[in-house]
Amino acid sequence: MASFQNQVVVITGAGAGLGRGMALAFGREGAKVMVSDIDEESGQETVALVQKAGGTAAFYKANVAHYHQVDKLMAVTVEHFGRIDIGINNAGIGGGQMARLADISLIDYQKTIDVNLSGVFYCMQAELKQMLAQGGGKIVNVASVAGLRPLANASVYSATKHAVVGLTKTAAIEYARKNIRINAVCPVFTHSNMVQSMFDQSPELEQKLVKTIPMGRYGQPEDVAQAVLWLCSEQNNFLTGHALPIDGGSAAV
Ligand SMILES: NC(=O)c1ccc[n+]([C@@H]2O[C@H](COP(=O)([O-])OP(=O)(O)OC[C@H]3O[C@@H](n4cnc5c(N)ncnc54)[C@H](O)[C@@H]3O)[C@@H](O)[C@H]2O)c1
């Protein structure tokens, strides 16, 4: 039997990149995956890919920056699949134009806070209420290595990811005796649309940044997916409150 057989997993931002990679990985392991994204077309594509690989998935469109849409997403997941065993709070944006702090527009500032910080907070609130009612669960928030140390020209993005690590660690101790484990993953640059748009803004950055990764390559969505499966597995029942770098050794430097 696959290790996540019949477990219900909800993944935000699962229409592309890391979220799609995690949806496919959980689907392969027998989970029932609620794919959510602001973009219906790409979300439905992820559902089709999970199903093509023999997995079970459904789609619900939600913008994580809106509390009521997140609340509805979690309610629909419970209606459809009966419970929420695992919440993967992955939806996030890069923060707009790369710029030093004084030059960041207030529009980019607010949007980044709304999606990357409020979005994770709303998801955690709704997931925790359900997990408390059903007697347990697991949450993984997708932060970033930029949540562990600064990322020049992306101060607001970095601030939101530090905040996600703070939400993760604090909630982990608050619910440690409620059979709810809460961790974060902190990927380094990983191939996705988000990273591609950053490299499109500055092609020389692509050559420069890879040299800062000891393993000498950028991450792949599957690298993150495998770490998340491991964090959520039953073999890890004593592991909570961590912010795990998935970074080819970057955080060790
Ligand atoms: N790719 C990287 O190098 C990297 C590194 C560290 C952390 N991360 C984090 O991983 C997560 C996923 O990033 P990615 O690289 O796969 O990006 P991506 O842009 O490829 O995919 C993000 C997905 O989220 C969706 N989305 C965007 N805003 C949304 C919203 N308000 N509500 C719901 N869905 C929304 C998009 O439609 C898209 O499908 C983000 O939180 C990002 O900060 C990425």
Side-chain angles (χ1 to χ4, degrees):
M1 186 186 276
S3 51
F4 290 93
Q5 197 70 39
N6 292 326
Q7 291 201 31
V8 178
V9 186
V10 57
I11 308 177
T12 63
L18 278 52
R20 175 174 283 178
M22 291 185 273
L24 290 169
F26 275 109
R28 280 197 303 270
E29 296 290 331
K32 296 173 181 167
V33 187
M34 179 57 81
V35 169
S36 184
D37 204 286
I38 197 171
D39 182 325
E40 174 147 17
E41 199 181 327
S42 63
Q44 294 286 12
E45 268 173 30
T46 299
V47 169
L49 288 168
V50 173
Q51 290 171 342
K52 197 170 161 208
T56 303
F59 175 76
Y60 186 80
K61 178 176 173 167
N63 179 346
V64 296
H66 294 286
Y67 176 79
H68 292 293
Q69 292 186 31
V70 170
D71 211 38
K72 191 77 207 283
L73 161 65
M74 301 306 167
V76 166
T77 304
V78 174
E79 254 169 57
H80 197 77
F81 287 136
R83 53 190 286 121
I84 298 173
D85 295 296
I86 299 169
I88 309 291
N89 303 322
N90 163 76
I93 56 173
Q97 196 68 33
M98 294 195 76
R100 290 192 290 181
L101 193 147
D103 300 319
I104 288 175
S105 77
L106 289 183
I107 291 172
D108 280 348
Y109 166 78
Q110 196 58 55
K111 198 170 173 207
T112 311
I113 299 281
D114 290 348
V115 178
N116 290 9
L117 175 53
S118 302
V120 171
F121 173 75
Y122 298 152
C123 288
M124 289 180 78
Q125 267 211 332
E127 288 159 356
L128 283 165
K129 285 176 188 164
Q130 174 60 28
M131 288 173 184
L132 286 168
Q134 71 193 20
K138 292 152 204 138
I139 293 175
V140 176
N141 294 324
V142 180
S144 168
V145 286
L148 301 172
R149 61 186 196 200
L151 179 61
N153 297 312
S155 55
V156 180
Y157 178 80
S158 181
T160 60
K161 295 302 185 179
H162 276 77
V164 167
V165 171
L167 290 177
T168 303
K169 292 187 175 186
T170 308
I173 61 168
E174 289 173 350
Y175 297 98
R177 292 181 186 216
K178 296 289 181 191
N179 192 31
I180 300 173
R181 294 195 297 105
I182 306 172
N183 293 290
V185 287
C186 298
V188 77
F189 303 105
T190 301
H191 286 291
S192 74
N193 297 337
M194 180 188 289
V195 158
Q196 197 50 53
S197 66
M198 191 178 90
F199 292 154
D200 289 346
Q201 284 183 51
S202 172
E204 63 280 6
L205 200 62
E206 182 167 3
Q207 307 299 324
K208 192 174 144 197
L209 287 176
V210 77
K211 296 189 181 125
T212 68
I213 302 173
M215 283 190 173
R217 68 166 176 89
Y218 291 115
Q220 294 292 343
E222 186 64 13
D223 296 320
V224 178
Q226 287 305 320
V228 170
L229 289 181
W230 177 78
L231 274 176
C232 293
S233 81
E234 292 302 323
Q235 283 75 48
N236 274 331
N237 264 336
F238 202 43
L239 202 158
T240 197
H242 285 272
L244 179 71
I246 303 164
D247 66 345
S250 302
V253 180

